Short mmCIF file of all heavy atoms in Angstrom, two decimals:
data_model
loop_
_atom_site.label_atom_id
_atom_site.label_comp_id
_atom_site.label_asym_id
_atom_site.label_seq_id
_atom_site.Cartn_x
_atom_site.Cartn_y
_atom_site.Cartn_z
N VAL S 1310 0.30 15.59 -4.24
CA VAL S 1310 -0.65 14.67 -4.92
C VAL S 1310 -1.87 14.66 -3.89
O VAL S 1310 -1.83 15.02 -2.84
CB VAL S 1310 -0.13 13.23 -5.01
CG1 VAL S 1310 1.02 13.33 -6.01
CG2 VAL S 1310 0.30 12.60 -3.67
N ASP S 1311 -3.04 14.28 -4.53
CA ASP S 1311 -4.23 14.02 -3.65
C ASP S 1311 -4.43 12.60 -3.44
O ASP S 1311 -4.52 11.67 -4.39
CB ASP S 1311 -5.44 14.57 -4.40
CG ASP S 1311 -6.72 14.48 -3.63
OD1 ASP S 1311 -7.22 13.35 -3.41
OD2 ASP S 1311 -7.11 15.49 -3.13
N VAL S 1312 -4.46 12.24 -2.10
CA VAL S 1312 -4.60 10.83 -1.78
C VAL S 1312 -5.91 10.79 -0.86
O VAL S 1312 -5.92 11.26 0.22
CB VAL S 1312 -3.51 10.25 -0.99
CG1 VAL S 1312 -3.58 8.75 -0.54
CG2 VAL S 1312 -2.21 10.33 -1.94
N ALA S 1313 -6.87 10.21 -1.35
CA ALA S 1313 -8.22 10.04 -0.48
C ALA S 1313 -8.73 11.34 0.00
O ALA S 1313 -9.16 11.49 1.12
CB ALA S 1313 -8.05 9.02 0.51
N GLY S 1314 -8.53 12.54 -0.91
CA GLY S 1314 -9.06 13.79 -0.44
C GLY S 1314 -8.06 14.57 0.36
O GLY S 1314 -8.42 15.65 0.72
N THR S 1315 -6.85 14.07 0.67
CA THR S 1315 -5.88 14.86 1.40
C THR S 1315 -4.76 15.21 0.52
O THR S 1315 -4.08 14.37 -0.18
CB THR S 1315 -5.33 13.97 2.55
OG1 THR S 1315 -6.48 13.69 3.43
CG2 THR S 1315 -4.29 14.69 3.34
N GLN S 1316 -4.52 16.59 0.46
CA GLN S 1316 -3.28 17.02 -0.33
C GLN S 1316 -2.04 16.76 0.53
O GLN S 1316 -1.99 17.08 1.70
CB GLN S 1316 -3.36 18.58 -0.55
CG GLN S 1316 -4.43 18.92 -1.55
CD GLN S 1316 -3.92 18.59 -2.97
OE1 GLN S 1316 -2.72 18.86 -3.34
NE2 GLN S 1316 -4.74 18.24 -3.91
N GLN S 1317 -1.06 16.09 -0.04
CA GLN S 1317 0.11 15.66 0.71
C GLN S 1317 1.30 15.59 -0.36
O GLN S 1317 1.14 15.56 -1.58
CB GLN S 1317 -0.05 14.41 1.42
CG GLN S 1317 -0.44 13.31 0.49
CD GLN S 1317 -1.01 11.97 1.23
OE1 GLN S 1317 -0.26 11.15 1.36
NE2 GLN S 1317 -2.31 12.09 1.57
N PRO S 1318 2.56 15.72 0.16
CA PRO S 1318 3.73 15.63 -0.65
C PRO S 1318 3.73 14.27 -1.37
O PRO S 1318 3.48 13.16 -0.79
CB PRO S 1318 4.86 15.70 0.28
CG PRO S 1318 4.39 16.47 1.53
CD PRO S 1318 2.85 16.05 1.57
N GLY S 1319 4.07 14.32 -2.69
CA GLY S 1319 4.07 13.08 -3.48
C GLY S 1319 5.54 12.45 -3.28
O GLY S 1319 6.30 12.91 -2.70
N PRO S 1320 5.69 11.16 -3.85
CA PRO S 1320 6.94 10.50 -3.70
C PRO S 1320 8.11 11.25 -4.36
O PRO S 1320 7.82 12.05 -5.30
CB PRO S 1320 6.68 9.22 -4.60
CG PRO S 1320 5.17 8.91 -4.52
CD PRO S 1320 4.54 10.33 -4.53
N ALA S 1321 9.18 11.19 -3.66
CA ALA S 1321 10.35 11.97 -4.24
C ALA S 1321 11.59 11.11 -3.84
O ALA S 1321 11.54 10.23 -2.80
CB ALA S 1321 10.60 13.24 -3.63
N PRO S 1322 12.78 11.18 -4.66
CA PRO S 1322 12.94 11.98 -5.81
C PRO S 1322 12.24 11.40 -7.17
O PRO S 1322 11.55 10.33 -6.94
CB PRO S 1322 14.44 11.87 -5.92
CG PRO S 1322 14.82 10.73 -5.34
CD PRO S 1322 13.90 10.29 -4.33
N ARG S 1323 12.56 11.93 -8.22
CA ARG S 1323 11.97 11.44 -9.44
C ARG S 1323 12.89 10.47 -10.19
O ARG S 1323 14.16 10.68 -10.09
CB ARG S 1323 11.72 12.68 -10.47
CG ARG S 1323 11.03 13.97 -9.78
CD ARG S 1323 9.69 13.57 -9.24
NE ARG S 1323 9.19 14.74 -8.48
CZ ARG S 1323 8.28 15.77 -9.11
NH1 ARG S 1323 8.15 15.77 -10.26
NH2 ARG S 1323 7.88 16.71 -8.30
N PHE S 1324 12.24 9.60 -10.95
CA PHE S 1324 13.13 8.59 -11.67
C PHE S 1324 12.62 8.56 -13.17
O PHE S 1324 11.33 8.60 -13.42
CB PHE S 1324 12.96 7.28 -10.99
CG PHE S 1324 13.39 7.14 -9.69
CD1 PHE S 1324 12.68 7.61 -8.67
CD2 PHE S 1324 14.80 6.66 -9.40
CE1 PHE S 1324 13.03 7.53 -7.31
CE2 PHE S 1324 15.19 6.58 -8.02
CZ PHE S 1324 14.33 6.97 -7.01
N SER S 1325 13.63 8.54 -14.02
CA SER S 1325 13.34 8.64 -15.46
C SER S 1325 12.63 7.35 -16.03
O SER S 1325 11.76 7.42 -16.86
CB SER S 1325 14.64 9.01 -16.27
OG SER S 1325 15.54 7.93 -16.23
N ARG S 1326 13.16 6.27 -15.65
CA ARG S 1326 12.62 5.03 -16.17
C ARG S 1326 11.60 4.19 -15.27
O ARG S 1326 10.77 3.45 -15.76
CB ARG S 1326 13.82 3.98 -16.45
CG ARG S 1326 14.58 4.35 -17.46
CD ARG S 1326 15.59 3.21 -17.99
NE ARG S 1326 16.47 2.79 -16.81
CZ ARG S 1326 16.17 1.72 -16.01
NH1 ARG S 1326 15.33 1.02 -16.32
NH2 ARG S 1326 17.23 1.54 -15.09
N THR S 1327 11.68 4.45 -13.93
CA THR S 1327 10.86 3.67 -13.04
C THR S 1327 10.17 4.60 -11.98
O THR S 1327 10.40 4.57 -10.77
CB THR S 1327 11.68 2.67 -12.30
OG1 THR S 1327 12.73 3.40 -11.56
CG2 THR S 1327 12.37 1.59 -13.08
N PRO S 1328 9.23 5.51 -12.53
CA PRO S 1328 8.71 6.44 -11.76
C PRO S 1328 7.66 5.79 -10.74
O PRO S 1328 7.03 4.77 -11.12
CB PRO S 1328 7.91 7.34 -12.75
CG PRO S 1328 7.70 6.51 -13.85
CD PRO S 1328 8.93 5.58 -14.04
N PRO S 1329 7.67 6.24 -9.50
CA PRO S 1329 6.70 5.76 -8.55
C PRO S 1329 5.33 6.13 -9.05
O PRO S 1329 5.08 7.06 -9.60
CB PRO S 1329 6.99 6.34 -7.26
CG PRO S 1329 8.51 6.87 -7.39
CD PRO S 1329 8.55 7.23 -8.85
N GLY S 1330 4.27 5.24 -8.46
CA GLY S 1330 2.95 5.59 -8.78
C GLY S 1330 2.39 6.48 -7.74
O GLY S 1330 3.07 7.02 -6.86
N ILE S 1331 1.03 6.90 -7.82
CA ILE S 1331 0.29 7.66 -6.88
C ILE S 1331 0.13 6.76 -5.59
O ILE S 1331 -0.38 5.64 -5.75
CB ILE S 1331 -0.94 8.18 -7.43
CG1 ILE S 1331 -0.83 9.07 -8.64
CG2 ILE S 1331 -1.73 8.97 -6.32
CD1 ILE S 1331 0.17 10.20 -8.42
N PRO S 1332 0.42 7.25 -4.55
CA PRO S 1332 0.35 6.48 -3.28
C PRO S 1332 -1.17 6.22 -3.05
O PRO S 1332 -2.06 6.86 -3.36
CB PRO S 1332 0.88 7.58 -2.10
CG PRO S 1332 1.61 8.49 -2.80
CD PRO S 1332 1.12 8.71 -4.20
N THR S 1333 -1.34 5.09 -2.25
CA THR S 1333 -2.77 4.61 -1.89
C THR S 1333 -2.97 5.25 -0.40
O THR S 1333 -2.10 5.47 0.09
CB THR S 1333 -2.87 3.12 -1.98
OG1 THR S 1333 -1.89 2.59 -1.03
CG2 THR S 1333 -2.69 2.56 -3.37
N ARG S 1334 -4.28 5.34 -0.16
CA ARG S 1334 -4.54 5.77 1.19
C ARG S 1334 -4.03 4.98 2.38
O ARG S 1334 -3.84 3.76 2.23
CB ARG S 1334 -6.08 5.95 1.40
CG ARG S 1334 -6.79 4.53 1.45
CD ARG S 1334 -8.18 4.68 1.97
NE ARG S 1334 -8.91 3.40 1.92
CZ ARG S 1334 -8.91 2.68 3.03
NH1 ARG S 1334 -8.02 2.85 4.03
NH2 ARG S 1334 -9.59 1.46 3.07
N PRO S 1335 -3.83 5.65 3.51
CA PRO S 1335 -3.44 4.83 4.65
C PRO S 1335 -4.53 3.83 5.03
O PRO S 1335 -5.68 3.97 4.76
CB PRO S 1335 -3.39 6.04 5.71
CG PRO S 1335 -3.18 7.31 4.99
CD PRO S 1335 -3.87 7.09 3.69
N ARG S 1336 -4.09 2.70 5.62
CA ARG S 1336 -5.02 1.59 6.00
C ARG S 1336 -5.39 1.56 7.48
O ARG S 1336 -4.54 1.99 8.26
CB ARG S 1336 -4.40 0.34 5.54
CG ARG S 1336 -3.88 0.42 4.15
CD ARG S 1336 -5.03 0.57 3.06
NE ARG S 1336 -5.76 -0.70 3.02
CZ ARG S 1336 -6.81 -0.81 2.09
NH1 ARG S 1336 -7.14 0.18 1.34
NH2 ARG S 1336 -7.50 -1.88 2.14
N LEU S 1337 -6.44 1.22 7.79
CA LEU S 1337 -6.81 0.94 9.17
C LEU S 1337 -6.02 -0.13 9.72
O LEU S 1337 -5.52 -1.07 9.09
CB LEU S 1337 -8.23 0.64 9.37
CG LEU S 1337 -9.30 1.78 8.92
CD1 LEU S 1337 -10.68 1.19 8.84
CD2 LEU S 1337 -9.28 2.75 10.00
N VAL S 1338 -5.74 -0.14 11.08
CA VAL S 1338 -4.94 -1.13 11.70
C VAL S 1338 -5.70 -2.52 11.60
O VAL S 1338 -6.84 -2.69 11.89
CB VAL S 1338 -4.74 -0.82 13.17
CG1 VAL S 1338 -4.12 -2.05 13.88
CG2 VAL S 1338 -3.85 0.42 13.34
N GLY S 1339 -5.04 -3.47 10.93
CA GLY S 1339 -5.66 -4.80 10.78
C GLY S 1339 -6.59 -4.96 9.54
O GLY S 1339 -7.05 -5.99 9.30
N GLU S 1340 -6.76 -3.98 8.76
CA GLU S 1340 -7.72 -3.87 7.65
C GLU S 1340 -7.25 -4.93 6.72
O GLU S 1340 -8.17 -5.64 5.97
CB GLU S 1340 -7.80 -2.42 7.04
CG GLU S 1340 -8.84 -2.34 5.97
CD GLU S 1340 -8.84 -1.00 5.36
OE1 GLU S 1340 -8.21 -0.08 5.98
OE2 GLU S 1340 -9.55 -0.75 4.40
N ASP S 1341 -6.05 -5.18 6.55
CA ASP S 1341 -5.65 -6.11 5.42
C ASP S 1341 -5.03 -7.37 5.84
O ASP S 1341 -4.42 -8.05 5.17
CB ASP S 1341 -4.54 -5.34 4.52
CG ASP S 1341 -5.10 -4.03 4.17
OD1 ASP S 1341 -5.96 -3.89 3.35
OD2 ASP S 1341 -4.42 -2.94 4.66
N THR S 1342 -5.40 -7.78 7.16
CA THR S 1342 -4.81 -8.95 7.74
C THR S 1342 -4.91 -10.23 6.71
O THR S 1342 -3.83 -10.81 6.49
CB THR S 1342 -5.37 -9.30 9.08
OG1 THR S 1342 -4.93 -8.17 9.99
CG2 THR S 1342 -4.76 -10.54 9.67
N ASP S 1343 -6.00 -10.62 6.45
CA ASP S 1343 -6.26 -11.74 5.60
C ASP S 1343 -5.67 -11.59 4.28
O ASP S 1343 -4.92 -12.48 3.78
CB ASP S 1343 -7.68 -12.11 5.62
CG ASP S 1343 -8.23 -12.73 6.76
OD1 ASP S 1343 -7.50 -12.65 7.73
OD2 ASP S 1343 -9.35 -13.35 6.68
N ALA S 1344 -5.87 -10.66 3.48
CA ALA S 1344 -5.53 -10.41 2.18
C ALA S 1344 -3.96 -10.32 2.07
O ALA S 1344 -3.47 -10.88 1.22
CB ALA S 1344 -6.12 -9.27 1.47
N ALA S 1345 -3.49 -9.50 2.98
CA ALA S 1345 -1.95 -9.10 2.86
C ALA S 1345 -1.18 -10.46 3.20
O ALA S 1345 -0.18 -10.89 2.54
CB ALA S 1345 -1.56 -8.09 3.75
N LEU S 1346 -1.48 -11.17 4.39
CA LEU S 1346 -0.91 -12.35 4.79
C LEU S 1346 -0.98 -13.49 3.62
O LEU S 1346 -0.04 -14.18 3.48
CB LEU S 1346 -1.46 -12.85 6.11
CG LEU S 1346 -1.02 -11.95 7.30
CD1 LEU S 1346 -1.56 -12.52 8.56
CD2 LEU S 1346 0.47 -11.87 7.40
N SER S 1347 -2.08 -13.47 3.01
CA SER S 1347 -2.41 -14.64 1.99
C SER S 1347 -1.43 -14.14 0.84
O SER S 1347 -0.78 -15.08 0.19
CB SER S 1347 -3.72 -14.51 1.46
OG SER S 1347 -4.71 -14.90 2.45
N ALA S 1348 -1.21 -12.97 0.54
CA ALA S 1348 -0.23 -12.56 -0.62
C ALA S 1348 1.21 -12.78 -0.21
O ALA S 1348 1.87 -13.02 -1.07
CB ALA S 1348 -0.48 -10.95 -0.85
N TRP S 1349 1.43 -12.89 1.08
CA TRP S 1349 2.78 -13.36 1.59
C TRP S 1349 3.01 -14.80 1.65
O TRP S 1349 4.01 -15.32 2.24
CB TRP S 1349 3.24 -12.53 2.82
CG TRP S 1349 3.58 -11.15 2.52
CD1 TRP S 1349 3.05 -10.16 2.03
CD2 TRP S 1349 4.95 -10.66 2.86
NE1 TRP S 1349 3.69 -9.06 1.90
CE2 TRP S 1349 5.05 -9.33 2.43
CE3 TRP S 1349 6.11 -11.19 3.47
CZ2 TRP S 1349 6.19 -8.39 2.51
CZ3 TRP S 1349 7.24 -10.33 3.64
CH2 TRP S 1349 7.22 -9.11 3.24
N GLY S 1350 1.97 -15.59 1.32
CA GLY S 1350 2.11 -17.02 1.26
C GLY S 1350 1.53 -17.75 2.56
O GLY S 1350 1.70 -18.94 2.62
N VAL S 1351 0.76 -17.02 3.22
CA VAL S 1351 0.12 -17.77 4.47
C VAL S 1351 -1.17 -18.38 3.97
O VAL S 1351 -2.00 -17.68 3.44
CB VAL S 1351 -0.22 -16.73 5.71
CG1 VAL S 1351 -0.77 -17.54 6.79
CG2 VAL S 1351 1.15 -16.14 6.08
N SER S 1352 -1.37 -19.60 4.25
CA SER S 1352 -2.52 -20.29 3.79
C SER S 1352 -3.79 -20.06 4.54
O SER S 1352 -3.74 -19.58 5.66
CB SER S 1352 -2.31 -21.86 3.84
OG SER S 1352 -2.13 -22.27 5.15
N ALA S 1353 -4.94 -20.44 3.90
CA ALA S 1353 -6.24 -20.14 4.65
C ALA S 1353 -6.37 -20.86 5.92
O ALA S 1353 -6.59 -20.42 6.97
CB ALA S 1353 -7.30 -20.44 3.67
N PRO S 1354 -5.93 -22.16 6.01
CA PRO S 1354 -6.07 -22.89 7.27
C PRO S 1354 -5.13 -22.35 8.40
O PRO S 1354 -5.47 -22.25 9.54
CB PRO S 1354 -5.49 -24.37 6.90
CG PRO S 1354 -5.82 -24.49 5.39
CD PRO S 1354 -5.66 -23.17 4.78
N GLU S 1355 -3.89 -21.83 7.85
CA GLU S 1355 -3.03 -21.19 8.86
C GLU S 1355 -3.63 -19.92 9.42
O GLU S 1355 -3.48 -19.64 10.63
CB GLU S 1355 -1.63 -20.96 8.24
CG GLU S 1355 -0.60 -20.55 9.19
CD GLU S 1355 0.77 -20.28 8.59
OE1 GLU S 1355 0.91 -20.60 7.41
OE2 GLU S 1355 1.70 -19.89 9.45
N LEU S 1356 -4.23 -19.10 8.51
CA LEU S 1356 -4.88 -17.93 8.93
C LEU S 1356 -5.87 -18.20 10.00
O LEU S 1356 -6.04 -17.47 11.03
CB LEU S 1356 -5.48 -17.21 7.76
CG LEU S 1356 -4.59 -16.46 6.92
CD1 LEU S 1356 -5.27 -15.93 5.61
CD2 LEU S 1356 -3.86 -15.27 7.52
N GLU S 1357 -6.77 -19.21 9.88
CA GLU S 1357 -7.76 -19.53 10.70
C GLU S 1357 -7.20 -19.94 11.98
O GLU S 1357 -7.73 -19.62 12.99
CB GLU S 1357 -8.74 -20.63 10.15
CG GLU S 1357 -9.90 -21.08 10.96
CD GLU S 1357 -10.82 -19.87 11.33
OE1 GLU S 1357 -10.98 -19.06 10.34
OE2 GLU S 1357 -11.31 -19.79 12.34
#
């Protein structure tokens, strides 16, 4: 599969009912700190 311009092996093995999606690009270290922790239930005051 092509992920952000890089040809790489796709997810395996294959599944008939619940196929995996196309992978997203690798993330920079700390790039998602606020958004990801918020999604895991960490409040804005706690993040600050």
Side-chain angles (χ1 to χ4, degrees):
V1310 296
D1311 185 289
V1312 179
T1315 299
Q1316 287 285 324
Q1317 55 194 261
R1323 314 296 173 91
F1324 297 85
S1325 62
R1326 289 191 299 102
T1327 56
I1331 299 296
T1333 58
R1334 70 163 176 84
R1336 311 295 288 180
L1337 295 167
V1338 174
E1340 182 177 354
D1341 308 294
T1342 297
D1343 284 12
L1346 291 179
S1347 295
W1349 276 62
V1351 180
S1352 67
E1355 187 178 358
L1356 285 173
E1357 183 58 36

